[in-house]
Amino acid sequence: MNDSIVLFSGGLDSALCAEMEIRKGNRPRLVSFNYGQSNLIELEYAEQLATGMNLPHETHKLPRIHGKIGDVYPGRNLILISAAMPIACSNNAKRIIIGCNLTDYNEFPDCRIRFIDRLNGICEQAKYPFIIDAPLINLTKKEVVEKAIAYGVNLGKTWSCYQPKKIATETWSHWGECGKCGACMVRRNAIENNA
Ligand SMILES: [Zn+2]
């Protein structure tokens, strides 16, 4: 069944969302956005993950989202979910899946249950043929990691860091995680707690 799309950042949460769909026998379409994020490298990870999962994947360029406050792009999920709506319609998708989790709650207002509920209220009022589905919304990051491991998600193939650092020598270079940003800390804590 191909009735869902997953907002696919290349991170752990969206990788788990995609894997959960596969386990249900679904074949979701993975949708990534380039909005000028500080960690564009995540889009390469998204592409590789999608290939590994053998799922259809598309990346769309959006106008750059400015005004980042700390790690937060105000309104980002609202923008990304809205941008995904016509994609859902054109693919007859009944669910737009987003990987918000409980650990995002404090810092990211647009990851809260009430925010997603309100969006679903808008979808219902507008009689849109899809819902916004946030299957991880009651899980802590530790529980997300636990579930991802149980579902066979290769954590090493996901990307979380917001502030990648270029690591270079004379002969090669690659992007590495900063180890200090909110995403790095949350990820490390969650993984260490599952070790
Ligand atoms: Zn980082």
Side-chain angles (χ1 to χ4, degrees):
M1 198 163 42
N2 191 3
D3 73 344
S4 61
I5 64 174
V6 176
L7 294 182
F8 200 63
S9 69
L12 181 51
D13 303 320
S14 56
L16 175 57
C17 288
E19 193 60 44
M20 286 165 71
E21 284 298 290
I22 293 172
R23 296 290 177 111
K24 284 196 281 186
N26 295 339
R27 189 170 154 73
R29 173 168 287 270
L30 309 180
V31 179
S32 303
F33 292 107
N34 176 340
Y35 51 93
Q37 56 266 56
S38 59
N39 55 348
L40 275 172
I41 179 75
E42 70 178 6
L43 295 178
E44 288 178 31
Y45 277 74
E47 183 66 47
Q48 287 167 24
L49 275 168
T51 304
M53 290 174 162
N54 193 27
L55 290 174
H57 178 230
E58 55 192 79
T59 301
H60 296 267
K61 184 110 166 67
L62 297 177
R64 182 171 194 157
I65 304 178
H66 292 278
K68 194 178 182 197
I69 303 166
D71 288 334
V72 180
Y73 288 97
R76 176 180 60 175
N77 285 348
L78 188 55
I79 293 168
L80 301 187
I81 289 170
S82 302
M85 288 180 175
I87 302 170
C89 280
S90 59
N91 287 284
N92 295 317
K94 302 289 180 283
R95 289 174 299 133
I96 297 173
I97 299 172
I98 182 163
C100 303
N101 65 66
L102 211 47
T103 303
D104 297 327
Y105 187 96
N106 284 331
E107 192 172 8
F108 302 97
D110 52 1
C111 287
R112 296 175 189 159
I113 292 174
R114 194 162 164 73
F115 188 90
I116 302 294
D117 282 349
R118 288 283 177 101
L119 280 182
N120 274 316
I122 290 170
C123 293
E124 193 182 342
Q125 177 134 36
K127 296 192 165 53
Y128 290 152
F130 48 75
I131 59 162
I132 315 304
D133 187 8
L136 311 181
I137 205 150
N138 288 312
L139 301 183
T140 64
K141 194 74 172 188
K142 178 178 181 292
E143 290 166 330
V144 168
V145 168
E146 214 167 66
K147 193 160 185 161
I149 292 170
Y151 275 54
V153 174
N154 187 337
L155 303 188
K157 299 233 184 261
T158 63
W159 185 272
S160 298
C161 178
Y162 297 134
Q163 302 294 345
K165 296 255 180 289
K166 190 110 182 192
I167 301 166
T169 69
E170 279 181 12
T171 51
W172 59 270
S173 68
H174 74 99
W175 290 98
E177 295 171 343
C178 77
K180 296 176 191 161
C181 72
C184 279
M185 288 196 290
V186 165
R187 180 186 172 103
R188 189 168 57 235
N189 286 339
I191 291 174
E192 281 171 3
N193 284 330
N194 273 286

